[in-house]
Amino acid sequence: MYQDNNHCNGDPLFIESVAAATTPWTRLEDKVFEQCLVLFPEGISDRWEKIAEQIPGKSAKEVEQHFHMLVYDVYEIDAGRVQVPQYADDSVMLSQGWDSQNQISFVSKSKHHGEGERKKGTPWTEEEH
């Protein structure tokens, strides 16, 4: 698990002050932000500036602060102190073939519920490939 010991050290007061200093993020901005974290991985020069260029109205500082808040939130969820949030569009994902762990399911609904369900860690059969 990633921990950023240089910035917040898990300090709730730091997180609260960062949250107060930033403008609210929309769900769309969060999605773009998450995609940019993959496109511009850790260690890339000017990472926060490059991500901010993709999110209109957000500065590099706001993007970096948002990242540290995300890391803190993930840490709190992993520690069991906070439940995973439910979003309005989660029900849409479930109805479009996503399973309960927010992983896409490639099995038809009739087959998924009828036959024995695949267990995690079980290798794929030739038919499934």
Side-chain angles (χ1 to χ4, degrees):
M1 176 77 223
Y2 174 83
Q3 283 187 318
D4 187 348
N5 295 323
N6 297 327
H7 289 84
C8 68
N9 230 359
D11 180 4
L13 294 176
F14 174 83
I15 298 300
E16 286 176 25
S17 67
V18 167
T22 62
T23 58
W25 286 60
T26 66
R27 185 82 166 123
L28 178 60
E29 288 171 332
D30 274 333
K31 287 293 188 184
V32 171
F33 171 74
E34 291 167 8
Q35 292 170 348
C36 287
L37 290 176
V38 174
L39 289 173
F40 306 107
E42 190 174 356
I44 237 175
S45 64
D46 301 326
R47 180 185 195 194
W48 307 124
E49 290 81 5
K50 289 176 181 175
I51 294 174
E53 289 172 2
Q54 304 300 313
I55 308 170
K58 299 296 181 185
S59 69
K61 182 178 179 179
E62 285 178 301
V63 168
E64 184 177 12
Q65 289 173 338
H66 194 65
F67 173 78
H68 292 298
M69 287 172 34
L70 175 66
V71 169
Y72 178 77
D73 288 347
V74 169
Y75 177 76
E76 290 294 296
I77 291 168
D78 284 348
R81 289 188 282 269
V82 177
Q83 286 188 344
V84 177
Q86 294 294 316
Y87 297 102
D89 61 354
D90 284 349
S91 61
V92 172
M93 284 185 203
L94 289 173
S95 68
Q96 292 178 345
W98 290 76
D99 70 15
S100 60
Q101 285 94 25
N102 288 333
Q103 297 175 346
I104 196 159
S105 173
F106 294 102
V107 179
S108 72
K109 290 185 187 263
S110 61
K111 187 174 182 180
H112 186 70
H113 293 294
E115 297 175 15
E117 225 174 273
R118 250 177 68 72
K119 294 186 176 165
K120 288 186 178 181
T122 305
W124 288 37
T125 66
E126 285 299 318
E127 183 182 307
E128 289 173 320
H129 279 285

